[in-house]
Amino acid sequence: MARVLSGPETPDSPGPERYEGVYAERRRSCGMALYDAVGVAREDHDGHSPQMLEIVRFFGAPHVAVITSPKTLGTDGVMDCGAYVANLLNLAEAYDLGAIAQGAIGMYADAVREHFVIAEDRDVVCAVSLGHADPDHPANTFRTDREEIDRVVQGLPA
Ligand SMILES: Cc1cc2nc3c(=O)[nH]c(=O)nc-3n(C[C@H](O)[C@H](O)[C@H](O)COP(=O)(O)O)c2cc1C
């Protein structure tokens, strides 16, 4: 799987053309915090960094669930997968398991489909790696920030 990082990206559904505003800021601060925690230099944030390789190693997890959706369901199916993944993450937590949702794997959908023998008529949405978390691993020493409620929920005007 590691060789896929040097090949062309083949996503089943296009991601954002670019991240803007608060979305770009959150993405950057989350990424920087992770790279700082694991000690990756800022100039080494490319597809060959050890941290990028972790994506296709599934972080050494013993299990991975590849989440797919029938192509015929389009974005409705992908939305349903989001609800499914949220519940899977909560369930893993309830069973004291570590779980890492991995949207980035969708950029290499063709390689994922081939490796995991997934039917051509399904979109590769994401993966969820599952196992026992290592609390001492540097990547687990930081937590992402949480927004204030009034920055994510809009009330009716008075
Ligand atoms: C659907 C989904 C896809 C994600 N995809 C990735 C990914 O491809 N790469 C990555 O580093 N983090 C990804 N994340 C974020 C991590 O799984 C994790 O949630 C993040 O590091 C924040 O962890 P925390 O909420 O415990 O602070 C994804 C999260 C979700 C919910």
Side-chain angles (χ1 to χ4, degrees), residues 88-97:
L88 183 58
L89 297 177
N90 283 328
L91 195 63
E93 184 74 21
Y95 278 90
D96 218 12
L97 288 171

Side-chain angles (χ1 to χ4, degrees), residues 107-119:
M107 288 191 296
Y108 310 101
D110 283 351
V112 172
R113 218 184 333 268
E114 186 186 329
H115 187 79
F116 290 99
V117 195
I118 294 166

Side-chain angles (χ1 to χ4, degrees), residues 58-61 64-65 85 89 92 97-103 127-131 140:
F58 301 105
F59 302 91
V64 60
V85 167
L89 297 177
L97 288 171
I100 309 172
Q102 291 177 244
V128 180
S129 295
L130 294 155
N140 289 330

Side-chain angles (χ1 to χ4, degrees), residues 65-141:
V66 180
I67 311 298
T68 69
S69 179
K71 284 186 184 292
T72 51
L73 292 185
T75 51
D76 283 14
V78 175
M79 186 179 75
D80 291 346
C81 287
Y84 181 91
V85 167
N87 281 297
L88 183 58
L89 297 177
N90 283 328
L91 195 63
E93 184 74 21
Y95 278 90
D96 218 12
L97 288 171
I100 309 172
Q102 291 177 244
I105 209 76
M107 288 191 296
Y108 310 101
D110 283 351
V112 172
R113 218 184 333 268
E114 186 186 329
H115 187 79
F116 290 99
V117 195
I118 294 166
E120 290 289 334
D121 60 355
R122 300 190 73 88
D123 280 339
V124 174
V125 177
C126 68
V128 180
S129 295
L130 294 155
H132 290 287
D134 175 1
D136 299 324
H137 191 283
N140 289 330
T141 59

Side-chain angles (χ1 to χ4, degrees), residues 47 55 106:
I55 289 173

